[in-house]
Amino acid sequence: KAGVTQTPRYLIKTRGQQVTLSCSPISGHRSVSWYQQTPGQGLQFLFEYFSETQRNKGNFPGRFSGRQFSNSRSEMNVSTLELGDSALYLCASSLVVAGGQPIFSFNEQFFGPGTRLTVL
Amino acid sequence: AQSVTQPDIHITVSEGASLELRCNYSYGATPYLFWYVQSPGQGLQLLLKYFSGDTLVQGIKGFEAEFKRSQSSFNLRKPSVHWSDAAEYFCAVRLEAGGTSYGKLTFGQGTILTVHP
């Protein structure tokens, strides 16, 4: 079974631009979460999507947004890029549905390789 | 708010030596606990997880971790370290089912492991 894929793997943007990152979860997984990793702040939760709905959001400005499609693929968008947005953006998927019902208790998240965003 | 502390930013061990990486969490109940490993430029790989039951859990690559409720700790151990274990290790917690943060992991700051030959 293929793992979580993220595209693109590397991006270079300039301040003020916007960027869209894509994440394809493991087949059958319905939940996608996004994290930002920086040397100074470590790994921080951005948001989580389940069944095309945002379930939870971390403490990030409104410039960070996301969405999930009916096939569970997810995108995140960062508008008006700032130098501090340079980071590794990680996507994680998890299996949350069994017999048509969400099973949250025994989730484990599988991470993709990340997208390295550099803002100049 | 829940938090995770990894007291050791950097640990150096010799190949073949034993290893223990510390993790303490702050949360009112027993969370779900995880250890992940990250090689340079890579994503996170799950080493092991604790949800309930036996407090000593076995993971991949010969790693194990012990949950100690009284100490709010979930330390990672390996009896004999290999050079390929050099990486960064992250402890993480997730709220139990019934909350709203099903897919939200809170991570520690990470411990960088260096292995000397």
Side-chain angles (χ1 to χ4, degrees), chain A residues 45-49 54-58, chain B residues 100-102 104:
Chain A
F45 173 78
L46 279 158
F47 25 64
E48 178 208 358
Y49 287 88
Q54 187 180 90
R55 293 195 56 86
N56 205 350
K57 190 176 191 303
Chain B
T100 59
S101 300
Y102 304 124
K104 176 184 177 182

Side-chain angles (χ1 to χ4, degrees), chain A residues 9 31 33 35 37 39-43 45 48 55-56 88 90 104-113, chain B residues 32 34 36 38 41-46 49 51-52 88 90 94 97 99-105 107-109:
Chain A
R9 292 293 310 279
S31 174
S33 298
Y35 297 83
Q37 185 178 24
Q41 299 299 316
L43 280 153
F45 173 78
E48 178 208 358
R55 293 195 56 86
N56 205 350
L88 181 66
L90 293 165
F104 298 107
S105 299
F106 298 101
N107 269 341
E108 58 186 73
Q109 294 193 1
F110 295 87
F111 283 80
Chain B
Y32 295 144
F34 307 83
Y36 284 88
Q38 184 178 37
Q42 301 299 312
L44 301 172
Q45 182 183 22
L46 180 67
K49 59 187 183 287
F51 291 151
S52 64
E88 190 163 14
F90 293 92
R94 183 173 65 84
T100 59
S101 300
Y102 304 124
K104 176 184 177 182
L105 292 174
F107 287 90
Q109 282 298 103

